[in-house]
Amino acid sequence: MSDHVETLCHRAKAGEISAASELVGLFYERIFAYFRRLCGNDDDAADLTQKAFFKLWTSLASYQQRSSFSTWLHGIAHHVYLDWRRTNKPVDSRSEEWWETRAAEGPSPFEDAAERDTAHRLFALVDRLEDRAREAVHLHYYQGLSLQETAEALGIATSTVKYRLREALEFLRTQTKEPTLRPA
């Protein structure tokens, strides 16, 4: 897919509308999902997705293929999110309605209630992480970017991504430990 995406990018740079439309079709859902997980609602996620694609098109001529198109686009999305956070200071807590309408994680719509409860708790714990760690978790685990791609998107060293993920996982591990039962 990478060669195909790069070809589309080249054609879109040359002004071909159909190539630009196909790029949007390939990446819109991923970028929307990234924003939805970070900001917590569909309206803001849709607005941020539009802003990210607008920035993409206005800066497409500067794309030099030093990283993959996906990584470059996620970097743009990251900066759009940071700008939004600076100006909006959204509420960090998520409503029950939001959790009920989030996209299913598993292949079956009939997930086990215990799995949903665990996923709900885990997502809520991820939301409690500090911004930097939460962004690394979203890009690496939820968006499936490699450590290197995550680092490029965030504009930081790979070692910093590893550190943030390690800290996040340690926090999640301590928060999800089952209490040990002591004999009576």
Side-chain angles (χ1 to χ4, degrees):
M1 179 165 130
S2 181
D3 290 340
H4 178 64
V5 168
E6 298 304 327
T7 300
L8 288 173
C9 184
H10 180 69
R11 288 173 35 210
K13 279 174 139 179
E16 190 176 318
I17 300 295
S18 63
S21 294
E22 191 172 342
L23 280 173
V24 171
L26 289 172
F27 290 97
Y28 187 90
E29 286 184 25
R30 285 186 72 185
I31 298 303
F32 178 83
Y34 170 67
F35 285 133
R36 187 167 191 267
R37 285 292 307 136
L38 288 174
C39 64
N41 69 69
D42 290 346
D43 292 337
D44 288 335
D47 288 345
L48 292 173
T49 302
Q50 293 302 315
K51 286 179 184 179
F53 279 102
F54 176 77
K55 282 193 177 240
L56 168 82
W57 302 130
T58 59
S59 58
L60 188 60
S62 68
Y63 174 55
Q64 298 176 355
Q65 298 177 324
R66 284 185 251 161
S67 60
S68 73
F69 181 80
S70 175
T71 301
W72 186 65
L73 176 55
H74 276 88
I76 290 171
H78 169 70
H79 290 299
V80 166
Y81 173 72
L82 290 179
D83 290 344
W84 179 77
R85 284 284 298 200
R86 279 187 210 105
T87 58
N88 290 305
K89 303 287 185 212
V91 177
D92 285 333
S93 63
R94 309 289 195 245
S95 69
E96 286 298 317
E97 179 180 313
W98 184 84
W99 287 109
E100 292 297 322
T101 61
R102 71 176 173 76
E105 296 296 315
S108 169
F110 304 106
E111 292 181 40
D112 178 64
E115 286 180 21
R116 280 186 291 171
D117 183 52
T118 301
H120 181 282
R121 287 184 339 142
L122 184 60
F123 288 138
L125 287 171
V126 168
D127 282 343
R128 288 180 38 201
L129 293 169
E130 66 178 51
D131 289 344
R132 292 177 175 187
R134 185 173 55 245
E135 291 165 8
V137 167
H138 284 296
L139 287 171
H140 183 65
Y141 292 110
Y142 297 151
Q143 293 296 308
L145 297 183
S146 69
L147 292 172
Q148 180 64 38
E149 291 170 329
T150 301
E152 289 176 24
L154 295 174
I156 59 177
T158 304
S159 60
T160 304
V161 171
K162 289 179 184 178
Y163 174 78
R164 289 179 184 174
L165 292 174
R166 189 170 39 253
E167 290 291 310
L169 291 174
E170 184 58 34
F171 170 78
L172 296 172
R173 204 173 286 122
T174 61
Q175 297 297 310
T176 58
K177 281 187 178 175
E178 295 293 324
T180 56
L181 297 176
R182 297 180 185 213

